[in-house]
Amino acid sequence: MVQSLAQEVQLTCPACSRRFDAKVWLLVDVAESPGLAERLRTGTLHDAPCPNCGHTGQVDAPLLLYRPDAEPCLLFSPAEQTSAEQDQEHAAGLL
């Protein structure tokens, strides 16, 4: 069963003003998706490169990390521009 979850979002590039679709990861199972775990370690998991001009920005999104062999097995990282109430809603929705 696939545990990792991404959402397609439409973004506007701040460099060229063109719109494009990007995949934003909201739930990552590190055992299931070692490539995503590596992107998380390098800080590029929420990078969104523009296919038109190549500019790369980061998407501000929450993340629930599932680590089946670690303690604690769940880690939640809220989005940066959200309230505590929104953070609780996002965490509950991802659980």
Side-chain angles (χ1 to χ4, degrees), residues 20-35:
F20 65 97
D21 293 328
K23 186 181 284 191
V24 178
W25 290 98
L26 302 174
L27 194 154
V28 172
D29 178 337
V30 298
E32 168 194 86
S33 305

Side-chain angles (χ1 to χ4, degrees), residues 1 9 13 24 28 53 55-56 62 67 82 86 91 94:
M1 179 177 175
V9 297
C13 177
V24 178
V28 172
C53 72
H55 174 82
T56 298
R67 309 174 313 157
T82 54
Q86 290 171 314
L94 290 171

Side-chain angles (χ1 to χ4, degrees), residues 2-80:
V2 176
Q3 300 292 332
S4 297
L5 170 72
Q7 179 179 0
E8 288 285 329
V9 297
Q10 192 169 74
L11 303 173
T12 300
C13 177
C16 71
S17 300
R18 303 272 310 265
R19 294 183 67 76
F20 65 97
D21 293 328
K23 186 181 284 191
V24 178
W25 290 98
L26 302 174
L27 194 154
V28 172
D29 178 337
V30 298
E32 168 194 86
S33 305
L36 293 176
E38 180 59 25
R39 287 182 58 194
L40 181 63
R41 280 191 274 290
T42 61
T44 61
L45 182 65
H46 285 156
D47 280 4
C50 175
N52 301 301
C53 72
H55 174 82
T56 298
Q58 284 227 326
V59 177
D60 184 19
L63 176 67
L64 182 63
L65 187 63
Y66 176 55
R67 309 174 313 157
D69 299 327
E71 188 64 37
C73 65
L74 291 174
L75 295 174
F76 177 69
S77 176
E80 293 181 13

